[in-house]
Amino acid sequence: MSIVVLAWGGGAEPAAAVKEVLGGARRLADASGRAVVAGALGPAAQGAPAMITYGADRVLTVEHDALAQADADAYVDAAEAVCRQVGDGLVLLPGDRLGWEIAPRLAHRLQAGLVTDCVAVDWDGSRFVMTKPVYGGKAMARLAATTGVQVALVRNRTMEALAADPGRTGTVEPLTVSPTSGRVKVVAHKAEESVGQVRLEDAPVVVAGGRGLGGPEPFKELEEIARLLGGAVGASLAAVDAGWISPAHQVGQTGKSVAPDLYIAVGISGASQHVAGMSGSRTIVAINKDPEAPIFRVAHVGAVGDYKEILPAFLEELRRIKGSA
Amino acid sequence: MHIAVCVKQILDPEISPRAFKIDPVRKEAVPGSGSLVIGPFDLNALEVAVQLKERYGGRVTVLTLGSEKAKEALRRALAMGADAAVLIDDGQVAAKEPSVTARVLAAAIRRLDSVDLVLCGRQSGEWDFGQVGALLAEELGMPFVPFVPRLEVDGQVLRLEREAEGGLAVVEAPRPCVASITNANDNVPRLPKVKDIMMANRKPITTYTAADLGLGEAEAGDAANRLEVLELFIPEVKSECEFVEGDSGAEKGVNLARKLVERKVI
């Protein structure tokens, strides 16, 4: 029995999400006495040797013109071929957009049980147990798939990559697949507006504002802090609904899931639907005038008071620190 | 143009954590701990469908898998502008199994005449498996486009915007096709007027059981379950928050920055 990690994106160096899932798969494989098989699809095939250093025992590569773009139809075909080659077992996919798109279709073809948005996958001694947030993060569910092939879509930044170990050994084998190109054609791209040059989901720092800001103006100050820290600006649903900032910035169950090293929540009360999208952040800072606000229950560092007084001094001190660094 | 919209009636996601209770034995939220509403993204999907009808003509059929109570959700959808509704009784249908939900909805959609577009929310807002759209596409043999905030019709071609890595992509798909809808400024669900709510009571609701749709225990019952819910629990949140000191807001601001340096965060 094996644990399959499906990999896409990246190049000679695998994508960050792939490295995380490989690290998680390696730990599960060691606990359950299995091997890790990576399915390196499309351009990710170039990263096959590196995947071994990150934890794979065996890499099956699938290269085909149809995989040059993120064409889900072709990727489902390629993923299915890898899984059929390996047989029963656990299949892990990174939870990015393509992962969400192909995982259900792959599970359908393999008649496999699928759990999406897993924040943990554990081996309990006899089976794999997947944990996911439900009811907008107010509860957690632990599930097991009762099928031969079990599929887990892993939320980004919830598993930890291993340091690359050039001493690890493994095999790389090409798999011949002729994926069918899709019926859905990409005709244009529109760049997402990004503040501070960093995409929200990838940003190491997110500075987010909510209803407590009282209007669109204060987001300029958040942008300034984000720029200084190399981060991006986020927002709560309330701020988006009020029209103060575009939905592209929304963090939460109905927005984007982020897990940066530092999340600064300004004037955000901490409704569970917001917390569901950011609770995995390494350090959470909350600035709020209400000491009872639920955001302080998940925050690591808090400042109680009026953001209009706190923020300018915070920003000035940051500039001083950054300037002297 | 005939648009089918699949919706789910869920426990109001806005309910406060204090009011939220779970039944650890049945492994679901205690009914009655909050009101029942249509899932937030399903409402966006309905809004998209009604806007398309207003722009291009045609009709909208809303479908749900649920109990008798789910008729309230269907009435709401009819008041928003759907023309007809289908309730599939979930009495004999495996719960919390997206593959079954999709199989049952697909069987009901096949009974509708000439559907050009199938819409659903990108996730329920409850268990949030986020699978039904993609599974419907597989069941119905249609192309699938996920994370769609808006779309337009150009003859036999659908032009859809979709969220992709690094921005939005514009894609073209043939009719019929399945799309899962995400929230955006221009698909905020409308609030029905009293007149619309009155009108909704006169619109038809068709009811099916799984058996009516030709699905037995093996296809739609508990035997079709692929997942087992082992446990549902409310995570214990123990606050570890360290509050920065200061006599004024400005002092707290300075101390906050220093605290982050001390913690080696910045």
Side-chain angles (χ1 to χ4, degrees):
Chain A
M1 299 269 271
S2 301
I3 299 175
V4 173
V5 174
L6 293 172
W8 50 82
E13 181 69 7
V18 168
K19 291 193 276 188
E20 290 165 19
V21 176
L22 279 172
R26 183 72 258 157
R27 290 183 187 92
L28 287 169
D30 291 343
S32 62
R34 277 150 217 253
V36 175
V37 182
L41 314 179
Q46 296 163 41
M51 287 178 199
I52 291 167
T53 69
Y54 285 108
D57 298 302
R58 183 179 168 209
V59 185
L60 297 172
T61 59
V62 181
E63 290 182 273
H64 194 277
D65 288 347
L67 299 170
Q69 306 295 326
D71 178 336
D73 284 336
Y75 272 85
V76 175
D77 284 350
E80 181 187 0
V82 169
C83 293
R84 291 207 186 276
Q85 176 79 17
V86 175
D88 281 359
L90 179 68
V91 179
L92 301 175
L93 293 86
D96 60 10
R97 298 257 176 228
L98 189 60
W100 276 95
E101 188 170 0
I102 70 171
R105 300 177 57 190
L106 177 66
H108 184 271
R109 295 188 190 180
L110 300 170
Q111 302 192 2
L114 161 65
V115 180
T116 49
D117 201 22
C118 296
V119 294
V121 180
D122 299 293
W123 171 252
D124 78 352
S126 60
R127 61 182 164 183
F128 295 103
V129 177
M130 303 165 229
T131 305
K132 87 181 286 296
V134 292
Y135 296 105
K138 285 193 273 291
M140 301 293 278
R142 295 173 66 246
L143 300 112
T146 53
T147 44
V149 180
Q150 304 135 40
V151 186
L153 185 71
V154 179
R155 187 189 278 203
N156 283 358
R157 302 181 72 135
T158 56
M159 288 182 170
E160 211 160 324
L162 300 170
D165 176 359
R168 282 188 46 84
T169 54
T171 57
V172 178
E173 307 151 47
L175 190 63
T176 308
V177 185
S178 298
T180 49
S181 281
R183 296 164 288 183
V184 179
K185 301 282 177 218
V186 176
V187 292
H189 281 284
K190 289 184 174 181
E192 194 166 22
E193 48 179 305
S194 64
V195 179
Q197 280 82 54
V198 193
R199 229 163 55 94
L200 190 53
E201 293 105 309
D202 302 332
V205 176
V206 174
V207 188
R211 197 197 305 272
L213 292 186
E217 267 313 291
F219 276 97
K220 296 221 173 68
E221 209 165 356
L222 302 192
E223 280 172 29
E224 186 114 21
I225 295 171
R227 199 167 306 136
L228 203 57
L229 298 175
V233 170
S236 72
L237 176 64
V240 170
D241 276 353
W244 300 341
I245 187 160
S246 92
H249 295 268
Q250 190 192 325
V251 173
Q253 184 200 6
T254 58
K256 290 180 173 132
S257 278
V258 300
D261 296 328
L262 173 61
Y263 190 91
I264 304 179
V266 187
I268 290 177
S269 65
S272 47
Q273 88 83 24
H274 182 76
V275 171
M278 49 66 82
S279 57
S281 309
R282 211 148 286 166
T283 300
I284 299 172
V285 172
I287 300 174
N288 205 293
K289 65 178 193 307
D290 176 10
E292 301 295 318
I295 191 74
F296 289 121
R297 296 208 311 229
V298 294
H300 304 101
V301 182
V304 179
D306 187 346
Y307 82 87
K308 285 182 196 139
E309 294 170 17
I310 296 172
L311 229 43
F314 176 62
L315 178 56
E316 196 176 322
E317 184 66 9
L318 282 182
R319 280 207 193 97
R320 205 187 56 76
I321 292 163
K322 289 282 163 188
S324 64
Chain B
M1 174 137 135
H2 187 187
I3 306 169
V5 185
C6 301
V7 304
K8 184 176 183 187
Q9 189 182 43
I10 65 164
L11 187 69
D12 187 351
E14 300 294 325
I15 167 180
S16 79
R18 215 163 297 145
F20 179 77
K21 301 272 185 303
I22 55 171
D23 180 337
V25 178
R26 295 179 61 218
K27 296 172 192 131
E28 56 185 40
V30 174
S33 57
S35 53
L36 294 171
V37 297
I38 298 176
F41 297 108
D42 295 348
L43 284 172
N44 298 127
L46 272 169
E47 179 61 33
V48 166
V50 174
Q51 285 181 18
L52 288 171
K53 181 179 91 164
E54 287 167 349
R55 188 164 166 195
Y56 302 105
R59 64 209 157 93
V60 175
T61 301
V62 60
L63 302 100
T64 197
L65 171 64
S67 66
E68 188 68 20
K69 261 198 127 19
K71 276 191 177 163
E72 292 165 19
L74 294 176
R75 291 279 173 219
R76 177 80 182 182
L78 292 168
M80 280 178 69
D83 301 283
V86 176
L87 171 68
I88 306 136
D89 182 85
D90 68 354
Q92 302 300 315
V93 175
K96 299 188 196 77
E97 177 49 63
S99 62
V100 169
T101 306
R103 187 174 301 138
V104 172
L105 287 169
I109 290 168
R110 279 190 213 103
R111 299 247 166 151
L112 303 174
D113 49 60
S114 61
V115 169
D116 300 279
L117 177 62
V118 179
L119 302 181
C120 61
R122 75 168 206 214
Q123 60 199 65
S124 67
E126 195 174 55
W127 278 63
D128 279 336
F129 283 113
Q131 301 180 22
V132 167
L135 293 172
L136 276 174
E138 288 285 317
E139 289 281 343
L140 295 167
M142 295 180 188
F144 174 58
V145 186
F147 307 117
V148 172
R150 61 191 68 84
L151 69 145
E152 53 188 44
V153 182
D154 184 358
Q156 284 306 303
V157 174
L158 299 166
R159 194 168 297 118
L160 309 97
E161 284 187 20
R162 58 155 298 177
E163 291 178 357
E165 298 300 327
L168 282 171
V170 183
V171 302
E172 286 182 352
R175 285 156 68 166
C177 139
V178 180
S180 78
I181 302 294
T182 192
N183 56 323
N185 282 344
D186 50 0
N187 66 23
V188 176
R190 65 191 64 197
L191 291 173
K193 299 186 181 72
V194 175
K195 175 176 63 87
D196 303 322
I197 294 167
M198 307 276 281
M199 290 269 284
N201 287 324
R202 292 205 288 272
K203 293 179 181 173
I205 297 183
T206 308
T207 305
Y208 294 120
T209 62
D212 293 339
L213 298 169
L215 300 171
E217 166 70 16
E219 294 91 22
D222 286 336
N225 251 326
R226 293 173 182 171
L227 298 176
E228 185 184 340
V229 182
L230 305 174
E231 190 189 359
L232 177 68
F233 62 101
I234 296 177
E236 218 173 287
V237 192
K238 50 173 199 303
S239 177
E240 307 163 12
C241 191
E242 180 185 357
F243 288 95
V244 296
E245 309 278 332
D247 292 330
S248 65
E251 202 178 322
K252 286 179 183 172
V254 171
N255 288 342
L256 180 59
R258 291 180 184 164
K259 179 63 72 187
L260 296 183
V261 174
E262 186 188 309
R263 284 182 165 238
K264 299 188 167 57
V265 178
I266 56 171

